[in-house]
């Protein structure tokens, strides 16, 4: 009976050791953040600064819903109607997985503001945090 317990304990220890063996893959940036999260943080900071903190009149009717730390692996932010935080998003800006490619879609992209949104997001995702494009 005692030898059976020792054998079971040894098997458990070997099993646990096997689970913990193998090389650990370091995070690509050393920060533990995925490429998509790093890209979206950069874009979200610029969007907040340029569209909302600056009180840009073109974005007065909207508010930003930040979902960078969601558990689905798709960091994103949304623009929703002002004072209707739970409303259907009018704009979705997101990146997925280990890609730094930022996607933009939603009804606002089909309106006059869509061209500006597209150029702002492209500029910010390329690393230029300025609020206006250069001529």
């Amino acid at each position: 009976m005692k030898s059976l317990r020792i054998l079971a304990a040894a098997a458990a220890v070997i099993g646990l050791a096997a689970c913990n063996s193998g090389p650990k893959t370091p995070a690509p940036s050393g920060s533990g953040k995925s490429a998509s999260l790093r890209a979206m943080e950069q874009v979200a900071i610029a969007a907040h600064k340029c569209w909302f903190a600056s009180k840009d009149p073109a974005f007065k009717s909207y508010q930003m819903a930040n979902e960078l730390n969601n558990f689905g692996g798709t960091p994103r932010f949304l623009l929703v109607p002002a004072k209707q935080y739970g409303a259907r998003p009018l704009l979705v800006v997101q990146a997925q997985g280990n890609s730094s490619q930022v996607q933009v879609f939603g009804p606002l992209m089909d309106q006059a503001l869509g061209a500006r949104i597209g150029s702002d997001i492209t500029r910010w995702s390329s690393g230029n945090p300025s609020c206006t494009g250069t001529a």
Side-chain angles (χ1 to χ4, degrees), residues 45-112:
I45 289 168
H48 180 266
K49 176 183 80 170
C50 297
W51 294 347
F52 296 100
S54 70
K55 303 207 183 291
D56 186 323
F59 292 90
K60 182 180 180 181
S61 301
Y62 311 104
Q63 65 181 345
M64 188 173 178
N66 182 344
E67 297 182 352
L68 295 181
N69 293 322
N70 71 30
F71 295 104
T74 305
R76 67 185 183 174
F77 69 83
L78 314 171
L79 292 193
V80 296
K83 300 180 185 174
Q84 295 179 17
Y85 196 75
R88 186 174 181 191
L90 301 172
L91 181 74
V92 178
V93 182
Q94 69 181 23
Q96 293 180 309
N98 203 23
S99 171
S100 59
Q101 183 70 33
V102 176
Q103 303 163 334
V104 184
F105 54 92
L108 276 180
M109 294 305 290
D110 296 329
Q111 297 178 12

Side-chain angles (χ1 to χ4, degrees), residues 17-38:
C19 290
N20 291 325
S21 66
K24 303 290 183 206
T25 305
S29 70
S31 68
K33 296 178 183 179
S34 67
S36 59
L37 180 56
R38 287 191 312 273

